[in-house]
Amino acid sequence: MDSFSLIEQAQQRLFEHTLMLSTRLEAQQKSSEALLNDYTQLEQRSRIDPLTQLANRAWLEEQLRERFALCRAQQRTLSVVFIDLDHFKVLNDRYGHQAGDQVLAQFGSTLSALTRAGDLAGRYGGEEFLVLLPDETARTAEHFAERIAQRLQASPMVQVGHESLYISVSIGIACLDDGEFDNEREIINAADQSMYAIKRAGRGGIAVYGRDLPSR
C-alpha cells in the first residue's frame, strides 16, 4: 500500500473518530441541559404554593430577608402587606373545603393580576397572604390594598350552584419608613398587628402601622 493510501485511511479514521466524539459530546450536552432544566423546574416548584400558584412561605421569608437587608443598605423603602380572608372558616364549614380551595386559588389569581414586576405575592399560611412591595411607601401600598378590596367587591371568587361567593379581607400594612424595624420579622409582625386591629374592629378594612396603631 502506498503512502498516499495510508494517509487517506488515516484521515478517514480521524474523521470517523472525530464524528463519534462529536456525537457523544452532543448527547452529553443534551443530557446536561435536560438535567439542568429538570433542576430549574424542581427549584421553581419548591418555591410555589401549589394551590394558589403564588410564592410559598419559605420563599416569601427568604426574599423578605434579602430585600429588607438590601433596602436598608441602599436607603430605599419597602412595604409589607398582610392579608387575611375574612370568615374563611365559616365559608369552609358552609360550602365545603372544595369551595374553600377554589376561593384560595381564585384569590391567588387576583393577587397575581394586581401585582407588578418586582413585587412578590405569596401564601403565608392557611387563608393568610403576604405581598412584598419594594420601593413603595405606606401610601402607595394602601392604594394597592384598596385595589384588592375593590376587585373583591366587584367580582365573586367562585360560583356555588346558583350562588356567587364574594369575600372581604382584612389588610395590615407596614412600611420600612414608618418604624424602627431591626429585621424582617419585626416588619411582618407590624403588618400582622395592623391586620388584627382590622379584624378586632369588625373585619373588611385596611390599617397602616404607625398611623392607625400606636407605635411599638
Side-chain angles (χ1 to χ4, degrees), residues 65-211:
R65 182 165 56 251
E66 291 180 5
R67 296 181 189 205
F68 183 92
L70 180 65
C71 288
R72 283 281 296 268
Q74 297 181 351
Q75 296 184 328
R76 295 161 54 189
T77 193
L78 168 74
S79 287
V80 173
V81 180
F82 205 114
I83 307 166
D84 185 89
L85 275 56
D86 295 329
H87 304 295
F88 187 73
K89 185 179 183 303
V90 174
L91 185 151
N92 262 338
D93 292 343
R94 181 177 299 174
Y95 299 101
H97 289 280
Q98 184 175 357
D101 285 349
Q102 290 174 347
V103 167
L104 291 172
Q106 183 59 39
F107 185 71
S109 296
T110 299
L111 275 189
S112 292
L114 292 173
T115 51
R116 60 176 190 178
D119 300 337
L120 182 64
R123 185 183 181 192
Y124 198 63
E127 66 272 24
E128 294 179 337
F129 294 81
L130 205 66
V131 186
L132 313 183
L133 302 175
D135 300 315
E136 295 287 358
T137 65
R139 177 64 65 187
T140 56
E142 188 175 15
H143 293 329
F144 168 76
E146 288 168 352
R147 290 197 297 274
I148 296 172
Q150 290 165 3
R151 180 71 63 89
L152 296 179
Q153 289 173 359
S155 303
M157 287 292 96
V158 296
Q159 193 82 18
V160 179
H162 298 293
E163 187 174 357
S164 299
L165 296 188
Y166 291 80
I167 64 167
S168 66
V169 289
S170 298
I171 301 177
I173 296 169
C175 180
L176 192 56
D177 291 344
D178 299 331
E180 294 298 323
F181 304 118
D182 293 326
N183 54 58
E184 72 281 356
R185 292 301 319 163
E186 291 187 0
I187 196 170
I188 286 183
N189 290 339
D192 191 28
Q193 287 179 38
S194 299
M195 182 273 290
Y196 270 102
I198 291 294
K199 293 185 82 68
R200 288 193 296 269
R203 297 180 172 84
I206 303 165
V208 178
Y209 184 82
R211 191 179 73 206

